[in-house]
């Protein structure tokens, strides 16, 4: 028992290390990886379900398998000593045992992999349903959600049935070969007594030691099933772990300057999204934004406005051309350092299920309470935060559901302000707000745009009138560029 406990602890430790390494690798990947190769709940499913399978394969089952294997080997060693000729004849069945066990292991591994994929799809359905429970309830989509979940489980059920059949037939084949071996042993043992002078005790000794060894081999079958399932789970996880991202967030190489001025230039850029490589977004796109100015990008949906923001943030790299900051190619900077100089506020602010303070503090490592409060003041968020039940320590709910749209947007602005970025990117930051909320948020934005290079995507005149330059984008091309300073200021 102590040995089993030791193996269990070792398995848990190794599974924890793999889980930690997997998460670290996932966070290292570029945005294109999440666009086309994996989804959220596939990651969660692997970290929760697959690591359990790996833990079983590396834990108690290893100790059990070693014990049963030692019993198998020891039994045949004793059998050879007591009657080598009879044991040699019985050994003729071993290749059949090995082949049936290997075939069973391959089938179980494939079925386990298919089942894990099916359960990942089912988990995605649950996540989407629970995460959007208000929408589901609004459209009375509960039955549809249950039907989708049940349909997702059908594949998992079929995989489980097939895995059980493979295990059953495999185990049955093993036991059939074992019993045939006993019949052969008894028949040949009788001949040895008559022809070679074996005693009955020696024959019984050989048969029982081979019997014990063979039964141990049969009992090792569940261990082999666990190893096969763990191998299938580990293969997927290590496939991701071994992946080298094109844009590496952990890469420590690259330039780190004392500071940047904030000059932005997109020079003859060609770009297509990884998930849609056949759809050309930019075909020789060029744009220049001087330091300290405010540029507005306007145009119809799908024209490429938000793509400009994604390229400046280096979520993606252009297929050709350059994205320059202060005349230096964005690829030459250390990614973590340059992203600390860029702030982003999106149309749909992402808040975490934690306190208001923690959501704002996410913008800067080691931020003090004074810095957080100052950022809230600049973002026009301090007044409503102080009115919350616990002030900055008030929980915002899942995805910020306890706050209004304008309040969430101001928290997101405060988070961006906290890092004091030289470049501020606003991707339709006020488009989803009512007139009053837009006015308050716009006041906050006007405060923080001073002495920064600001790029914002907008549709409303009230938003763009404070810009220095308006660039009209149509199908990935700038069709007009207007200096709005002359018109409104």
């Amino acid at each position: 028992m102590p040995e089993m406990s030791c193996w269990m602890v070792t398995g848990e430790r190794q599974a924890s290390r793999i889980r930690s390494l997997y998460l670290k690798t996932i966070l290292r990947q570029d945005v294109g990886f999440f666009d086309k190769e994996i989804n959220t709940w596939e990651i969660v499913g692997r970290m929760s379900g697959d690591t359990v399978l790996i833990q079983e394969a590396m834990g108690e089952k290893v100790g059990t398998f070693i014990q049963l294997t030692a019993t198998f080997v020891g039994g045949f060693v004793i059998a050879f000593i007591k009657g080598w000729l009879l044991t040699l004849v019985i050994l003729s069945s071993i290749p059949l045992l090995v082949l049936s066990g290997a075939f069973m292991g391959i089938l179980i591994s494939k079925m386990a992999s298919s089942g894990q994929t099916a359960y990942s799809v089912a988990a995605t359905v649950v996540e989407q349903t629970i995460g959007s429970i208000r929408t589901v309830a609004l459209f009375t989509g509960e039955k549809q959600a249950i039907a989708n979940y049940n349909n997702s489980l059908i594949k998992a059920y079929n995989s489980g049935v097939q895995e059980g059949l493979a295990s059953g037939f495999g185990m049955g084949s093993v036991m059939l070969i074992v019993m045939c071996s006993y019949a052969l042993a008894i028949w040949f043992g009788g001949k040895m007594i008559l022809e070679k002078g074996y005693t009955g005790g020696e024959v019984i000794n050989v048969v029982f030691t081979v019997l014990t060894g063979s039964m141990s081999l049969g009992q090792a079958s569940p261990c082999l099933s666990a190893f096969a399932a763990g191998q299938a789970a580990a293969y997927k996880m290590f496939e991701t772990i071994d992946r080298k991202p094109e844009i590496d967030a952990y890469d420590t190489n690259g330039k780190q300057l004392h500071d940047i001025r904030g000059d932005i230039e997109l020079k003859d850029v060609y770009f297509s999204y990884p998930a849609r490589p056949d759809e050309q977004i930019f075909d020789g796109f060029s744009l220049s934004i001087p330091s300290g100015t405010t540029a507005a990008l306007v145009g119809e949906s799908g024209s490429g406005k938000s793509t400009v923001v994604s390229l400046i943030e280096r979520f993606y790299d252009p297929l050709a051309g350059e994205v320059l900051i202060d005349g230096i190619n964005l690829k030459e900077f250390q990614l973590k350092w340059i992203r600390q100089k860029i702030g982003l506020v999106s149309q749909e602010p992402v808040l975490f299920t934690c306190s208001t303070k923690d959501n704002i503090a996410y913008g800067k490592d080691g931020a003090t309470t004074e810095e957080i409060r100052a950022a809230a003041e600049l973002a026009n968020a301090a007044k409503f935060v102080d009115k919350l039940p616990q002030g900055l320590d008030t929980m915002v709910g899942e995805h910020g559901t306890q706050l209004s749209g304008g309040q969430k947007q101001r928290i997101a602005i405060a988070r961006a302000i906290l890092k004091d970025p030289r470049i501020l990117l606003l991707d339709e930051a006020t488009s989803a707000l009512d007139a009053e909320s837009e006015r308050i948020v716009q006041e906050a934005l006007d405060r923080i745009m001073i002495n920064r290079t600001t790029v914002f995507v907008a549709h409303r005149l009230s938003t763009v009138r404070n810009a220095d330059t308006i660039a009209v984008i149509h199908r990935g091309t700038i069709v007009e560029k207007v200096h709005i300073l002359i018109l409104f200021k």
Side-chain angles (χ1 to χ4, degrees):
M1 291 300 293
E3 291 80 2
M4 294 299 140
S5 299
C6 180
W7 280 109
M8 290 177 67
V9 171
T10 302
E12 290 175 1
R13 185 182 296 117
Q14 292 298 329
S16 296
R17 290 179 62 186
I18 292 172
R19 190 181 290 116
S20 176
L21 183 60
Y22 182 72
L23 178 59
K24 184 178 179 181
T25 304
I26 285 294
L27 296 177
R28 179 182 183 178
Q29 301 304 314
D30 52 85
V31 176
F33 171 74
F34 298 96
D35 288 347
K36 64 176 183 178
E37 295 188 29
I38 205 165
N39 59 58
T40 304
W41 270 93
E42 187 175 350
I43 297 171
V44 175
R46 288 183 185 176
M47 290 193 66
S48 57
D50 287 9
T51 49
V52 172
L53 296 176
I54 295 171
Q55 180 177 325
E56 290 180 355
M58 300 178 68
E60 181 184 1
K61 291 290 192 292
V62 176
T64 303
F65 182 74
I66 292 174
Q67 175 190 341
L68 295 173
T69 303
T71 303
F72 169 73
V73 174
F76 274 90
V77 168
I78 295 173
F80 269 108
I81 294 173
K82 291 296 183 179
W84 66 270
L85 185 57
L86 176 58
T87 305
L88 203 62
V89 171
I90 299 174
L91 274 176
S92 62
S93 61
I94 295 300
L96 292 175
L97 282 173
V98 173
L99 286 174
S100 61
F103 185 67
M104 175 182 64
I106 292 171
L107 283 180
I108 291 176
S109 178
K110 289 183 177 180
M111 295 303 105
S113 178
S114 177
Q116 290 156 22
T117 302
Y119 278 119
S120 175
V121 173
T124 301
V125 173
V126 173
E127 188 272 339
Q128 291 176 343
T129 302
I130 302 302
S132 307
I133 189 62
R134 296 169 186 263
T135 304
V136 173
L138 174 65
F139 291 98
T140 62
E142 293 87 352
K143 289 185 178 180
Q144 182 179 351
I146 293 171
N148 291 338
Y149 182 69
N150 289 336
N151 290 335
S152 301
L153 289 181
I154 290 175
K155 290 184 178 180
Y157 170 78
N158 291 335
S159 297
V161 170
Q162 292 170 359
E163 185 178 347
L165 288 173
S167 180
F169 278 112
M171 189 64 182
S173 301
V174 169
M175 294 308 299
L176 174 64
I177 296 169
V178 168
M179 294 305 171
C180 290
S181 300
Y182 297 156
L184 175 63
I186 293 172
W187 171 76
F188 195 77
K191 290 191 67 175
M192 293 295 99
I193 292 173
L194 295 175
E195 298 176 7
K196 298 294 183 179
Y198 276 49
T199 65
E202 289 174 333
V203 171
I204 294 299
N205 203 324
V206 170
V207 170
F208 271 93
T209 51
V210 172
L211 169 66
T212 303
S214 300
M215 288 300 293
S216 297
L217 189 64
Q219 291 170 0
S221 176
C223 298
L224 294 175
S225 299
F227 294 157
Q231 182 182 21
Y235 175 79
K236 289 184 177 181
M237 295 192 75
F238 279 104
E239 187 177 42
T240 302
I241 289 172
D242 292 337
R243 183 182 185 273
K244 301 299 181 185
E246 295 179 6
I247 303 174
D248 191 352
Y250 292 172
D251 189 359
T252 57
N253 297 320
K255 294 182 178 180
Q256 296 186 60
L257 309 179
H258 176 69
D259 201 357
I260 60 173
R261 296 188 308 276
D263 292 315
I264 301 172
E265 183 180 4
L266 279 74
K267 189 175 181 180
D268 199 26
V269 168
Y270 292 78
F271 178 74
S272 296
Y273 283 101
R276 295 170 289 164
D278 297 331
E279 184 177 341
Q280 192 83 12
I281 305 299
F282 289 149
D283 187 5
F285 181 87
S286 295
L287 173 67
S288 179
I289 304 171
S291 172
T293 62
T294 299
L297 306 180
V298 299
E300 61 185 6
S301 297
S303 59
K305 305 183 299 298
S306 295
T307 303
V308 174
V309 172
S310 296
L311 290 174
I312 295 173
E313 272 280 8
R314 208 189 168 198
F315 290 149
Y316 308 95
D317 281 336
L319 302 177
E322 296 178 306
V323 179
L324 307 173
I325 293 181
D326 291 352
I328 301 173
N329 194 315
L330 199 55
K331 296 179 182 179
E332 297 181 20
F333 289 106
Q334 186 193 95
L335 186 59
K336 182 178 180 180
W337 181 85
I338 193 62
R339 281 183 177 168
Q340 289 174 342
K341 302 297 180 182
I342 303 173
L344 172 63
V345 181
S346 301
Q347 178 181 6
E348 289 293 333
V350 177
L351 298 187
F352 300 97
T353 310
C354 55
S355 68
T356 306
K357 179 180 178 181
D358 291 336
N359 270 288
I360 297 175
Y362 203 81
K364 178 183 177 182
D365 290 337
T368 64
T369 303
E370 291 72 20
E371 289 176 322
I372 293 171
R373 186 165 291 280
E377 289 280 358
L378 279 173
N380 250 347
K383 289 183 179 180
F384 88 80
V385 168
D386 289 337
K387 292 179 182 179
L388 295 175
Q390 284 84 39
L392 282 172
D393 295 321
T394 302
M395 301 298 290
V396 301
E398 187 174 5
H399 302 303
T401 53
Q402 301 301 316
L403 303 178
S404 69
Q407 290 172 337
K408 287 193 290 185
Q409 197 65 283
R410 279 177 276 170
I411 294 296
I413 292 170
R415 183 168 57 196
I417 294 171
L418 187 62
K419 67 195 301 187
D420 191 23
R422 293 295 305 150
I423 297 173
L424 182 62
L425 307 175
L426 307 172
D427 191 357
E428 301 190 66
T430 62
S431 63
L433 304 179
D434 59 80
E436 180 61 21
S437 297
E438 181 193 6
R439 182 186 63 78
I440 297 172
V441 171
Q442 190 60 52
E443 287 177 3
L445 294 176
D446 291 342
R447 288 186 188 183
I448 67 172
M449 287 191 297
I450 299 172
N451 297 325
R452 305 179 199 273
T453 304
T454 305
V455 181
F456 58 83
V457 175
H459 290 106
R460 298 179 180 179
L461 178 62
S462 58
T463 304
V464 305
R465 66 186 303 152
N466 292 324
D468 298 313
T469 304
I470 296 178
V472 182
I473 302 177
H474 178 68
R475 295 185 180 179
T477 303
I478 294 180
V479 294
E480 190 173 359
K481 194 171 182 181
V482 180
H483 292 284
I484 200 169
L485 183 65
I486 300 174
L487 300 176
F488 291 101
K489 297 184 180 179

